[in-house]
Amino acid sequence: MKILIIGGTGMIGGHAATHLAAEGHDVTLAARKAPAPTTPMAHFKLLIGDYTQGDFSEAQLAPFDAILFAAGNDIRHLPRGTDQNEFWDKMQIDGVPNFIAKARDAGVKGVVQLGSYYHQVMPNLIDTNPYVRARHLADEKARALATKDFNVCTLNPPSIVGVTPGIPSPRYEKLMAYARGELPNAPLFAPPGGTNYMSVLSLCEAISGALQRGESGKAYLVGDENMTFQQYFQSLCDAVGNPHRIEIRDQEHPLLPDAFIVPGRGVILAYEPDAPETALLGYRRNDVQRAIREVFDIASANAKPAAA
């Protein structure tokens, strides 16, 4: 297939590009700017543009058999001082379905949209959290565009463990330093609660399955391992060889602030992906611990050398 990846220079989009190309697909990336030359994404064909600005024309989209939409912003991307309702309208509620409608009108045969798991696992958050509401509406409005000739489905994944090779990884470098106990004034502990985690490799396998076998109009809840935050931070310590045992403290965490815990501190967001759907999409399970070790290895290799 000729596949266009919107958000193709991001962490998930970049991994998906490499994975799909290895399967023999003809992959083109679309992004607001060119990828860093040190990354695997630098070797792919590229379209420059911003889906929220209507930059991609029907003529540009028409050559593709399928599109992976991997550009949706999440809670971490909300700029300070921004009107969040306006932001989510632009990035999710209107921006995503408007782009997918253009792909349909261009004659593209199918779109897989990457969403988020919150509205499928905890629908009560739709009415109380603007971000979850935005993901929910983008998901529903996108799938409503499906026709017999235009296959649209959504993958709603959990927290993804992965990193981009070839560029510094400040998030994981900081997590490694924290797990080693090297951050001053940042004691090792975990807040109460937890969530589901999934490796970027598992997600890429699910993306490939959805592009080839996804049911039109379907929203797939994908995921892998349920972990408490205590278990997650313990895994980080284990990965760097720190024997410290993580305790739970009911207070805001320096690397996992309450603003990033969408269901609220103390809530455990756990679920088991549907087994037939997992088999249909063809993605691996029990891959999170391997992925944590891998991202720490890659983050170490990506780290900029210290200034002389």
Side-chain angles (χ1 to χ4, degrees):
M1 280 191 290
K2 293 190 69 174
I3 300 172
L4 177 67
I5 301 179
I6 306 297
T9 60
M11 190 276 288
I12 293 174
H15 276 275
T18 301
H19 185 86
L20 293 168
E23 292 183 336
H25 300 290
D26 182 354
V27 177
T28 298
L29 310 183
R32 289 175 294 179
K33 61 181 181 180
T38 54
T39 66
M41 296 90 84
H43 304 291
F44 288 91
K45 293 171 286 186
L46 180 67
L47 291 178
I48 295 292
D50 184 341
Y51 75 94
T52 68
Q53 301 298 319
D55 289 345
F56 302 108
S57 68
E58 290 184 23
Q60 287 177 304
L61 302 180
F64 297 99
D65 302 306
I67 294 176
L68 169 64
F69 188 92
N73 291 57
D74 65 31
I75 196 72
R76 297 167 298 174
H77 301 116
L78 180 64
R80 290 180 181 272
T82 298
D83 182 316
Q84 65 174 319
N85 291 322
E86 181 179 328
F87 181 81
W88 294 127
D89 283 347
K90 179 181 179 181
M91 296 296 177
Q92 291 287 345
I93 299 170
D94 295 325
V96 174
N98 286 349
F99 172 80
I100 293 176
K102 183 179 287 188
R104 177 199 60 194
D105 295 343
V108 177
K109 297 301 182 184
V111 173
V112 171
Q113 184 210 174
L114 291 187
S116 182
Y117 62 150
Y118 295 113
H119 64 276
Q120 272 198 276
V121 182
M122 302 184 75
N124 59 295
L125 295 175
I126 294 170
D127 294 330
T128 59
N129 186 293
Y131 167 63
V132 178
R133 175 178 177 270
R135 284 290 199 180
H136 164 69
L137 291 175
D139 183 0
E140 287 209 332
K141 291 171 74 172
R143 289 184 290 113
L145 296 168
T147 70
K148 63 182 179 65
D149 299 315
F150 184 55
N151 189 306
V152 183
C153 66
T154 301
L155 296 180
N156 287 320
S159 183
I160 299 300
V161 179
V163 70
T164 302
I167 57 176
S169 313
R171 177 189 173 202
Y172 280 105
E173 290 170 27
K174 192 170 184 179
L175 281 171
M176 281 191 295
Y178 177 75
R180 293 190 186 107
E182 297 172 350
L183 296 186
N185 304 315
L188 287 169
F189 74 96
T195 192
N196 194 278
Y197 294 87
M198 184 180 196
S199 74
V200 71
L201 175 57
S202 292
L203 180 56
C204 287
E205 291 170 341
I207 288 168
S208 177
L211 285 166
Q212 298 177 78
R213 299 179 296 278
E215 177 184 340
S216 191
K218 178 80 172 180
Y220 293 99
L221 177 63
V222 297
D224 188 1
E225 186 175 349
N226 294 310
M227 300 174 69
T228 65
F229 295 134
Q230 181 185 37
Q231 291 171 324
Y232 174 70
F233 282 107
Q234 189 63 61
S235 294
L236 302 184
C237 288
D238 294 345
V240 298
N242 185 348
H244 179 86
R245 307 316 295 172
I246 294 292
E247 64 177 9
I248 296 174
R249 297 184 192 175
D250 193 5
Q251 64 188 65
E252 188 159 16
H253 193 274
L255 272 65
L256 184 61
D258 289 352
F260 291 176
I261 305 176
V262 173
R265 190 201 311 165
V267 175
I268 295 179
L269 194 166
Y271 62 93
E272 185 66 21
D274 181 79
E277 290 181 0
T278 301
L280 172 73
L281 297 173
Y283 65 91
R284 70 188 65 193
R285 297 286 307 274
N286 302 311
D287 196 47
V288 174
Q289 300 304 317
R290 180 206 62 80
I292 289 173
R293 294 190 296 270
E294 178 183 73
V295 296
F296 275 11
D297 288 343
I298 295 173
S300 295
N302 288 349
K304 294 179 179 178

